[in-house]
Amino acid sequence: MTPSLLYALTGAGLIALGLYGFVTRSHLIRRVLAFNVIGSGVFLVFGALGHEGGITDPVPQALIITGIVVALSLTAFAAAMIARYAEDGGGGLDPDAEDAG
Amino acid sequence: MSPLDTLIIAPLAFALASLGMGRRGAWLIVIAAPVMIALAVWLCAQVWAAPVGHSVGGWAPPLGIAIRADGLSAAFMLATAVAAGLIGLFALDEFAPPKDGETARSHTFWPLLYLLWAAVNAIFASADLFNLYVALELLTIAAVALAGFGALKAALRYFMVALLGSLSYLLGAVLIYAAYGTLDMGLLAQRAEADLPTLLAAGFITAGLIAKTALFPLHGWLPPAHGSAPAPASALLSALVVKASFFILLRFWFDAMPGISGPELAHLLGALGAAAVIYGSVQAIRQTELKPLVAYSTVAQLGYLFLVFPLAGAADEAAPWAAGAWSGGVLHALSHLFAKAAMFLAAGLMLRAAATKTIGGLEGLARAMPVTVFAFAVSAVSLMALPPSGGFMAKYLLLTSALAAGAWIYAAVMIAGGLLAAVYLFRPLARAFAGKETPVIVPTPRWLAAIPLALALLASALGLASAGPYAFIQAGAPLAAEEGLK
């Protein structure tokens, strides 16, 4: 097993874990965390696929950095919105649990 | 500097300026709307001669990023400039700072409007899958924040779906880069083959985008988000935001990957579209409040757009009707853009005047505010696809191509969808004309009532003068738009 394959498989594992968390938990903060886990997995896959035979392709690295910035801004925005939702007395941070109750 | 770059840079500059100008930031729209419309007209004039485009910073793809505009891009940019400009002017009534101080909303609406504008124009101009991802995320932030003006809970639900959709799209783009070493659509069109990794990547991209376009069964977030926002925000979300992700789908399948979609995939998208038409219409009929009704109508109308894929791409042999399907789909998107913007703005004025949310509370409004109710009716004519309207021309093109293709089921769905639209749109109109008394309302300023009317008449004009737009969107259209997907 080459190192890049190992990275790619780890990335795929992270995507699966994150997706599982995103789908099974409706708690908003958990979902934002799951989004970040999936995102890290995608970036890891991207980095691994751009590294073949000892030569590193610079394009994926540039795109990953851009992607991380985008993911960071989305996370910050989501965190701000969730905080506002909680302050406004929107109830729990788990919309599904609220609907059920 | 070409109008193509300026159409993306100018709204970003307006966003910064509106932040910096504080209380006076709202009035910037009076300058921004004509400037953006003039730029878009200039771009259209250029594209009419020949499609334009260049590599940003002089770096050629695959390393650099190409932006370009053909008839399709330019038509959407012009429609966006007119619709967003008019919606912005309409919003002066709601989001200009009041005399006795200012509100958070009168500050935040304007930068968000311009950010959204920049993001959709970037999407229309991008020929690179990763650049599209960045623009899509910029659009998500602006759209979710605007949805949050209504109900935070609905906006958060929209956000969560949008986040997952973006990741799915990004994963697809990553796999495409790994397979072909480029994200440029022009290069992909030459290189793409219908093998397993490509289909997997295309599947991820398509799934992500249909979640953002609110195609049935991933539509659940749309009605609460679009139905609870203030009228100008709803109009922006329903007219522009969902069109942008559909635009990427159209680009992806027809420009970048014309050779790889099999009939199965095309029919899957078509079946979901058909289900959306029926389900969205039935749900719209069941609503008792006006804005959710209009929002469910968006779910139904978006369904028609996805009929383009099977009609233009599910045949084994040459498909002479594909051109009609593609053009019909594009015209439908454009006329829905105007009609739905008009309808949400008119609905907002009607609900405010009647101080109600329900359809029952609209009784007699046609006598109290005839211009606004007329605007609602004209936009309804386009959504019902009755002549003369852009909706009629679009549906006519789609229907003739469905009949030529022998796709009876899709033809039947389109006809049923038109009838169901008549049912759900007739209800609020019938209430507005019902009764004998004229309700006493706070009068709407004339300029304000004229805006939804202008948008609704534009939707009609697309039908009356459809030859011009029809010819224009063919400028630089991909071969697949004419001959069908393989």
Side-chain angles (χ1 to χ4, degrees):
Chain A
M1 187 184 277
T2 63
S4 35
L5 186 61
L6 186 65
Y7 284 129
L9 287 176
T10 312
L14 281 175
I15 295 173
L17 265 177
L19 188 63
Y20 177 79
F22 198 98
V23 173
T24 56
R25 304 295 184 95
S26 59
H27 192 284
L28 290 168
I29 291 177
R30 281 182 186 277
R31 283 199 153 173
V32 173
L33 289 177
F35 161 76
N36 277 278
V37 172
I38 304 174
S40 306
V42 174
F43 297 140
L44 201 52
V45 169
F46 203 3
L49 294 177
H51 182 86
E52 261 175 61
I55 305 159
T56 305
D57 183 353
V59 174
Q61 301 200 348
L63 298 187
I64 289 168
I65 290 172
T66 315
I68 289 173
V69 173
V70 171
L72 180 74
S73 343
L74 285 169
T75 307
F77 179 50
M81 258 183 95
I82 292 169
R84 184 61 185 272
Y85 179 64
E87 278 169 17
D88 283 3
L93 291 176
D94 192 340
D96 285 357
E98 199 183 313
D99 287 348
Chain B
M1 184 170 276
S2 73
L4 184 56
D5 304 87
T6 320
L7 275 163
I8 302 169
I9 296 166
L12 288 173
F14 286 130
L16 283 176
S18 70
L19 269 177
M21 284 166 70
R23 283 181 55 87
R24 291 183 303 276
W27 300 101
L28 196 62
I29 187 71
V30 179
I31 302 166
V35 166
M36 292 297 288
I37 292 172
L39 283 169
V41 169
W42 183 17
L43 177 71
C44 285
Q46 283 191 351
V47 169
W48 185 240
V52 295
H54 58 91
S55 302
V56 178
W59 294 86
L63 194 58
I65 294 169
I67 62 169
R68 56 102 186 264
D70 52 11
L72 182 65
S73 310
F76 268 95
M77 283 194 188
L78 181 59
T80 299
V82 174
L86 286 173
I87 294 169
L89 291 171
F90 182 94
L92 275 178
D93 177 62
E94 197 157 347
F95 296 119
K99 287 197 178 64
D100 52 345
E102 50 198 327
T103 60
R105 289 184 168 200
S106 65
H107 259 301
T108 47
F109 175 82
W110 302 101
L112 288 173
L113 166 70
Y114 296 120
L115 273 183
L116 188 145
W117 206 334
V120 289
N121 277 352
I123 286 173
F124 297 149
S126 293
D128 178 279
L129 291 180
F130 193 82
N131 210 32
L132 280 170
Y133 166 74
V134 176
L136 202 54
E137 294 298 42
L138 185 58
L139 182 63
T140 301
I141 289 185
V144 168
L146 282 173
F149 276 38
L152 265 182
K153 188 173 175 179
L156 278 166
R157 188 173 168 195
Y158 172 24
F159 201 7
M160 293 302 143
V161 175
L163 284 179
L164 210 52
S166 306
L167 285 174
S168 179
Y169 177 91
L170 182 62
L171 185 58
V174 164
L175 294 178
I176 285 195
Y177 185 83
Y180 298 107
T182 181
L183 291 163
D184 180 73
M185 288 197 178
L187 292 175
L188 282 174
Q190 298 161 18
R191 297 182 190 173
E193 285 169 46
D195 51 9
L196 185 65
T198 313
L199 287 174
L200 197 63
F204 279 124
I205 285 181
T206 306
L209 290 173
I210 65 176
K212 292 200 166 208
T213 317
L215 177 64
F216 178 88
L218 300 173
H219 64 279
W221 59 266
L222 186 145
H226 289 196
S228 60
S234 298
L236 288 170
L237 294 173
S238 244
L240 300 179
V241 176
V242 284
K243 299 297 181 316
S245 43
F246 172 75
F247 182 93
I248 303 178
L249 266 178
L250 205 61
R251 274 267 186 257
F252 181 74
W253 284 109
F254 282 87
D255 288 62
M257 303 268 158
I260 72 156
S261 75
E264 296 83 6
L265 193 86
H267 275 302
L268 176 66
L269 287 174
L272 293 177
V277 170
I278 302 298
Y279 177 85
S281 303
V282 170
Q283 284 297 322
I285 292 173
R286 293 182 55 213
Q287 299 306 309
T288 53
E289 296 186 356
L290 184 58
K291 286 193 75 178
L293 181 153
V294 183
Y296 269 110
S297 151
T298 299
V299 173
Q301 299 286 328
L302 290 171
Y304 291 110
L305 298 176
F306 288 86
L307 301 182
V308 172
F309 297 101
L311 294 179
D316 293 331
E317 69 279 14
W321 52 83
W326 186 84
S327 312
V330 173
L331 278 181
H332 187 274
L334 290 171
S335 56
H336 180 258
L337 190 155
F338 287 123
K340 196 46 70 74
M343 186 170 272
F344 261 121
L345 297 184
L349 289 179
M350 285 156 70
L351 294 180
R352 191 171 65 181
T356 180
K357 281 185 171 178
T358 61
I359 296 164
L362 301 176
E363 188 161 316
L365 268 189
R367 284 181 294 281
M369 44 190 335
V371 176
T372 305
V373 174
F374 182 64
F376 190 94
V378 173
S379 58
V381 164
S382 188
L383 294 183
M384 286 184 245
L386 296 176
S389 68
F392 169 74
M393 280 313 297
K395 203 89 66 82
Y396 176 79
L397 284 167
L398 284 169
L399 201 56
T400 44
S401 91
L403 293 175
W408 303 107
I409 298 174
Y410 293 126
V413 165
M414 277 185 255
I415 293 169
L419 290 174
L420 290 169
V423 174
Y424 65 72
L425 291 169
F426 184 69
R427 277 174 55 233
L429 282 171
R431 291 312 299 170
F433 282 97
K436 291 210 167 61
E437 284 163 29
T438 304
V440 181
I441 58 164
V442 182
T444 309
R446 272 200 195 148
W447 66 270
L448 197 58
I451 290 175
L453 184 64
L455 286 164
L457 290 176
L458 278 169
S460 295
L462 266 183
L464 287 170
S466 55
Y470 181 88
F472 184 73
I473 57 174
Q474 316 295 335
L479 195 61
E482 205 173 313
E483 296 183 347
L485 303 166
K486 296 280 159 18

